[in-house]
Amino acid sequence: MNDQQFTPSEPLAVPAQQPPGKKSRSVSEVLFDYVEMFVWAVFIVMVVFTFGFRICQVEGPSMEDTLQQGQRLLLRSAFYTPKQDDIIVFHMTTNGYTGNEKTLVKRVIALEGQEVIIDTNSKTITVDGVLYEDSHRYLKDYNDSYNKDYFRYDFDWSTGIFKTTVPEGCVFVMGDNRNHSSDSRNTSVGFVDKNCILGKVVLRFSPFTFL
């Protein structure tokens, strides 16, 4: 008997699996995605400006020469705690104003519980006995840097000294243009309730400057 030789057959090739074809998307699906992205973008912007930042515009000369009429400002409002020298925007809380009827921009001079003394003779401010470095002060048209006509309470006309203590939950503010500013020196503005503060000015758009 002749021995038969067997040649092992080659293994059968397994055809590679083809990836499933990419499903084409309809025009309505594409449009829906764009609309969804737009809605989310608007929502994020609204959240940022409602709870984080606001934009406002300067009206009037009370913060000259730091801020000028018509300049646009960026405010930071989220988790903000007032500090001395901050420039803030706030709602009026006295003189018949309520809610959103009127807003002002001023500089924080003193915080709740602090004693403020303004001496119109020496033209100085002290806060809790410490001389306030009034480097932002701007004088216009008047020689008296602290015009007595702006004081409407706690002012001793015999000594020329204004003395008051900032109530709890409030701040004491003044405009940098000392003789052209209605501020916490008089009852037309008074002390500013911290709940009425819209935010701290962090940026001036024109000229572009961080404050």
Side-chain angles (χ1 to χ4, degrees), residues 5 16 25 27 68 87 95 104 107 131 161 184 193 211:
Q5 295 182 349
R25 304 178 67 203
V27 174
Q68 303 290 337
I87 299 176
N95 198 31
L104 297 176
R107 187 180 298 277
L131 183 66
I161 293 178
S184 292
D193 190 321
L211 297 171

Side-chain angles (χ1 to χ4, degrees), residues 54-157:
R54 299 170 185 260
I55 294 177
C56 67
Q57 182 170 309
V58 178
E59 295 183 7
S62 69
M63 281 300 292
E64 291 178 354
D65 213 11
T66 306
L67 303 175
Q68 303 290 337
Q69 169 78 23
Q71 290 180 334
R72 298 183 72 82
L73 311 173
L74 180 68
L75 313 181
R76 178 175 66 84
S77 54
F79 310 110
Y80 169 63
T81 301
K83 296 180 181 178
Q84 189 180 58
D85 277 342
D86 285 354
I87 299 176
I88 63 172
V89 174
F90 57 93
H91 292 308
M92 289 281 291
T93 56
T94 59
N95 198 31
Y97 290 104
T98 57
N100 298 326
E101 291 183 40
K102 188 174 180 65
T103 56
L104 297 176
V105 55
K106 306 290 178 184
R107 187 180 298 277
V108 176
I109 304 299
L111 307 175
E112 60 182 342
Q114 292 188 312
E115 182 185 62
V116 180
I117 298 177
I118 300 177
D119 190 332
T120 60
N121 302 303
S122 62
K123 301 176 177 54
T124 57
I125 301 174
T126 57
V127 178
D128 281 347
V130 178
L131 183 66
Y132 175 70
E133 296 295 334
D134 205 9
S135 58
H136 307 289
R137 183 182 66 191
Y138 176 65
L139 309 179
K140 186 176 181 180
D141 299 340
Y142 291 95
N143 292 323
D144 183 358
S145 62
Y146 296 105
N147 193 332
K148 297 178 181 180
D149 291 339
Y150 279 87
F151 297 95
R152 289 289 181 270
Y153 66 99
D154 293 343
F155 183 71
D156 188 335
W157 287 91

